[in-house]
């Protein structure tokens, strides 16, 4: 393609840190700050496309290298951009330039961080394409199929406050959600999420307490929400197959929309599905297209949890939805801690999916307005409206971006370590999985 | 999406008839004219996107109905356009308005003609999108992955001349290719295709003569082309499984790139593949996404022959290629008699496919310059270059379009009937399949 005024002129990569509550999961506890990276892909006319990715050193380095590699390329030339971003030499150079990250040279790490980098670059390029052509990203992904995207309440066990940091400062204050460690507190959290955002689907992040203790919370949720409310439980592969089957037998009378990753691996999940008859879901044992033949053969799940950040970008995630439709697999969407650019991408992807059979996950309410958009997202009846403006339809609040970038710089953080954070709360805690 | 100046203002549907040689296949003989339909989707700024489809009454009626249904819609809103084109009420109205075509009301026919209509409408909308955004269609399909697309010589048995028409006019003149009914003539045809177009892959359309007679032609081709040349044989499901296996055993020493549809059905093809060990291909037993689970389970073929005209459009055909890559299935492309708009779509689709493992079929050389493009396509070393101009990158010759439309109007034809044409040459011929 000939050079065009619309070609990529600059790429800005800005890591940011955002306050995060002390949420618990099988890997430990969320730290006081979560890292993300904002990518801005700017064309010659000054239009800026936005992307968002993880904020660990490896992803930042991959994005910086990818950004250098695509200057001068047309933002519509996504195959050329993917080739440039996945070029091992690009990432070799990135790894060599960061003495602090020697582990980045592992081939598997190279592949996955290139995939993560591409997803954010593609996100920004699609936003830019949409602005250039004056169409929303959902249309670029094959066409908007729904005007609203349903989301689920993402319920977590949590501490009341973060642990004191090394150096002996005063303990942080409790956050507004308070401590959530009992069935009663989980129910109160669900009620608050329902009241504030209108969610009607609920998921409990498990794998934190012994399975029977968590079961009491799931049973309390069912009791409160009524027999029809879609309810999920996600122990993040913290259990053995036998534990998952035993809990599955208890769960049958409660009824779950799906049983998400109770144990690791496709074989284990397939066995749990077969022995319990419960619908299962995963974002752990099937996470890439090359696993789909085994997924079809073993049938570990009834639902695949898609995610544009790790399924190879927005387009590939829509393609995954179509695959699931062909093969009779349900589709939902996975979430990590994220900001509003990622949420915009998730909404456009979900709007374009030919097959979306369950409400999407999102951590967004846990950021409680700590976003870098001029207009943060607001849930109505648990749903988000698909933007009709060109591109992703969101605009950066540059002051918020600068503030969050400054927070990143002073944080000294290099990634996410829920285990180390958990040990600040519970000395000697270890991340064994399966734990039960 | 708000109304835009770029919205669809007019849709023109123009059936055309193009001279076609008396090519033979399992269903009979090509008629003197082949029908196609040209679709022009025009936006408010006068830009025109081009599409091409089959030219039978059902497809023309479906396209006219679809054209009415999408005026005012944004050409980027492909999901909305697909929904409008597939709306049963649209097609019910179309069928009712054509007293001549009562069979159009069958539900299966409604689905398939809507699918054919959508493919041509999507083709034209993508051409229009590309012109609006100033990018080639290959980029809109996920990105250009190759600059040239390889094609195969499509060899046919043929008569020297068409049969005299009813009414006793003088017999037509022989065409420049002459009669091709023997192994020697097939070899000469291959040599001519190689000389004129540079093809290095060759396919013989079979199912015309007894299998052992056709085998002699395949063996002569192998002898002439050398042991390395990719060679295919396509009996169009004219044989039983037992015949296909017996011929497959003879074929092993000759070696085929693939054995295309020797017999009908996924089970039969899977048995032939298993018993002969030959690579197999199909455009007959797997033709839609809902068949892919059985295709994965039964493994009837090593290659799927894609086709944007019947696999649901250009985007879906690129998606099919990605599916085949994930599942270790080879990818090639099927062709019917077509003009240069279809060929442009095939080239852009092939350019964007993540996985294209064999040269594409095309009937284009048999039209020998009878195209309605200002600049007809020219093969170099058997390949076509992917256009770099916006959209499909082809321009209509309006005089040629008018001439071909006039030819359609005087033809009185309603579709394709190779069997009736064959009976003009061979009275009493019947289309039995499997025949051998």
């Amino acid at each position: 393609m000939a050079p065009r005024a619309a070609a990529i002129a600059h790429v800005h990569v800005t890591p940011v840190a955002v306050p995060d509550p002390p949420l618990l999961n099988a890997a430990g506890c969320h730290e006081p700050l979560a890292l993300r990276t904002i990518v801005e892909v700017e064309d010659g006319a000054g239009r800026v496309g936005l992307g968002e990715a993880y904020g660990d050193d490896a992803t930042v380095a991959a994005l910086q290298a990818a950004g250098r590699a695509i200057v001068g390329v047309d933002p519509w030339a996504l195959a050329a951009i993917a080739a440039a971003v996945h070029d091992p030499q690009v990432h070799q150079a990135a790894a060599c330039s960061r003495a602090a990250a020697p582990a980045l040279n592992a081939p598997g790490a190279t592949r996955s961080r290139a995939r993560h980098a591409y997803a954010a670059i593609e996100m920004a390029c699609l936003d830019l394409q949409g602005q250039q052509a004056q169409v929303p990203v959902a249309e670029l992904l094959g066409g908007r199929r729904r005007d609203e995207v349903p989301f689920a309440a993402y319920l977590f066990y949590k501490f009341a406050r973060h642990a004191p940091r090394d150096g002996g400062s005063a303990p942080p204050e409790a956050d507004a959600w308070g401590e959530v460690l009992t069935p009663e507190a989980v129910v109160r959290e669900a009620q608050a999420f329902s009241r504030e955002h209108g969610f009607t689907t609920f998921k409990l992040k498990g794998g934190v307490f012994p399975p029977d203790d968590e079961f009491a919370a799931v049973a309390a949720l069912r009791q409160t929400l009524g027999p029809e409310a879609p309810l999920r439980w996600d122990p993040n592969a913290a259990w053995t197959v036998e534990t998952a089957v035993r809990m599955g037998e208890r769960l049958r009378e409660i009824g779950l929309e799906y049983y998400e990753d109770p144990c690791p691996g496709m074989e284990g999940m397939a066995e749990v599905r077969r022995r319990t008859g419960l619908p299962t879901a995963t974002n752990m044992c099937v996470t890439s297209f090359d696993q789909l033949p085994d997924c079809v053969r073993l049938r570990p799940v009834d639902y695949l949890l898609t995610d544009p950040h790790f399924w190879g970008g927005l387009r590939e995630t829509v393609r995954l939805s179509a695959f699931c439709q062909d093969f009779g697999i349900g589709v939902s969407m996975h979430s990590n801690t994220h900001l509003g650019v990622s949420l915009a991408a998730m909404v456009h992807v979900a709007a374009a999916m030919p097959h979306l059979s369950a409400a999407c996950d999102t951590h967004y309410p846990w950021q409680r307005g700590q976003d870098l958009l001029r207009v943060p997202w607001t849930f109505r009846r648990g749903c988000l409206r698909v933007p009709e403006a060109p591109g992703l339809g969101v605009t950066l609040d540059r002051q918020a971006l600068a503030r969050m970038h400054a927070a990143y710089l002073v944080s000294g953080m290099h990634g996410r370590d829920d285990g180390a954070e958990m040990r600040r709360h519970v000395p000697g805690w270890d991340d064994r999985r399966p734990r039960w």
Side-chain angles (χ1 to χ4, degrees), chain A:
Chain A
M1 199 165 8
R4 307 164 63 221
I8 296 168
H10 306 283
V11 179
H12 308 280
V13 175
T14 310
V16 296
V18 55
D20 203 24
L23 307 180
L24 299 173
N25 60 62
C29 181
H30 285 212
E31 295 162 275
L33 291 173
L35 304 186
R36 298 291 283 177
T37 310
I38 299 300
V39 180
E40 297 167 80
V41 174
E42 188 175 341
D43 71 10
R47 287 171 291 233
V48 176
L50 299 177
E52 182 179 334
Y54 311 106
D56 57 288
D57 280 2
T59 300
V60 173
L63 281 167
Q64 287 168 336
R68 284 189 294 272
I70 63 169
V71 168
V73 179
D74 194 300
W76 294 81
L78 287 175
I81 288 170
V85 171
H86 284 92
D87 182 349
Q89 291 189 356
V90 166
H91 297 284
Q92 193 62 26
C96 292
S97 70
R98 292 181 72 88
L104 302 187
N105 281 314
T110 299
R111 265 197 308 279
S112 71
R113 77 195 156 157
R115 192 159 55 137
H116 298 163
Y118 175 71
I121 297 273
E122 188 214 37
M123 199 183 294
C125 287
L126 286 167
D127 187 18
L128 193 50
Q129 290 179 15
Q131 293 174 52
Q132 290 182 1
Q134 291 292 296
V135 291
V137 164
E139 302 296 6
L140 299 173
L141 296 174
R144 172 201 303 245
R145 293 167 190 267
R146 49 191 69 79
D147 295 325
E148 287 200 323
V149 174
F151 285 86
Y154 207 146
L155 307 177
F156 281 84
Y157 290 108
K158 66 182 291 295
F159 293 129
R161 54 178 56 79
H162 285 291
R165 315 306 293 170
D166 300 336
S169 57
E173 285 187 26
D175 59 40
W177 292 284
E179 182 179 87
V180 181
L181 301 175
T182 64
E184 297 71 29
V186 168
V187 166
R188 281 196 300 274
E189 191 181 85
Q191 289 167 328
F193 269 68
S194 168
R195 200 169 49 238
E196 288 178 37
H197 309 288
F199 295 122
T200 54
T201 296
F202 298 84
K203 162 167 159 177
L204 177 63
K205 175 65 86 180
V208 177
F209 296 113
D212 290 293
D213 294 359
E214 292 191 359
F215 179 86
V218 175
L221 283 171
R222 172 58 75 213
Q223 181 77 24
T224 305
L225 301 171
E228 301 300 329
L231 181 58
R232 312 160 178 177
W233 185 9
D234 173 16
N236 264 143
W239 305 344
T240 63
V241 168
E242 290 309 318
T243 301
V245 169
R246 183 174 68 78
M247 297 313 299
E249 282 159 3
R250 293 194 69 188
L251 280 165
R252 271 203 296 246
E253 66 192 69
I254 285 183
L256 285 185
E257 183 186 28
Y258 54 69
Y259 196 22
E260 181 179 336
D261 290 312
C263 65
M266 280 195 250
E267 286 85 354
M269 286 290 290
E271 185 176 342
V272 171
R273 179 172 180 257
R274 197 169 53 244
R275 288 172 60 188
T276 65
L278 285 173
T280 56
T282 191
N283 71 295
M284 297 182 77
C285 71
V286 183
T287 58
S288 62
F289 284 92
D290 59 8
Q291 292 177 298
L292 293 184
D294 282 344
C295 177
V296 165
R297 185 171 56 81
L298 297 168
R299 283 280 165 175
V301 289
D302 300 89
Y303 292 83
L304 273 181
L305 273 56
T306 64
D307 185 329
H309 303 89
F310 68 71
W311 272 95
L314 285 69
R315 283 177 172 267
E316 287 288 83
T317 305
V318 173
R319 172 164 90 81
L320 177 63
S321 161
F323 167 83
C324 289
Q325 185 170 44
D326 294 334
F327 282 79
I329 300 170
V331 173
S332 181
M333 196 180 288
H334 165 260
S335 159
N336 278 118
T337 297
H338 64 88
L339 293 163
V341 176
S342 279
L343 189 52
M346 293 159 70
V347 166
H348 283 279
V349 164
M353 282 180 167
H355 182 48
L356 176 66
S357 45
C360 301
D361 284 341
T362 176
H363 286 62
Y364 194 75
W366 292 107
Q367 266 49 61
R368 194 162 258 177
Q370 291 279 349
D371 201 358
L372 38 60
L373 298 185
R374 284 208 203 145
V375 182
W377 292 92
T378 305
F379 296 89
R380 306 234 185 266
R381 294 170 290 104
C383 295
L384 293 178
R385 281 202 71 77
V386 183
E388 303 201 358
L392 289 173
V394 295
T395 312
L396 273 186
D397 173 344
R398 298 204 161 270
Q399 287 189 322
L401 179 70
R403 193 171 62 242
M404 289 185 187
H405 180 56
Y408 167 83
L409 291 175
V410 301
S411 76
M413 289 170 71
H414 297 282
R416 171 179 173 176
D417 192 342
D418 287 19
E421 184 66 16
M422 191 66 160
R423 284 185 286 279
R424 292 197 180 92
H425 293 275
V426 183
W429 185 90
D430 65 337
D431 179 3
R432 275 180 294 119
R433 272 184 278 183
R435 180 183 295 273
W436 292 284

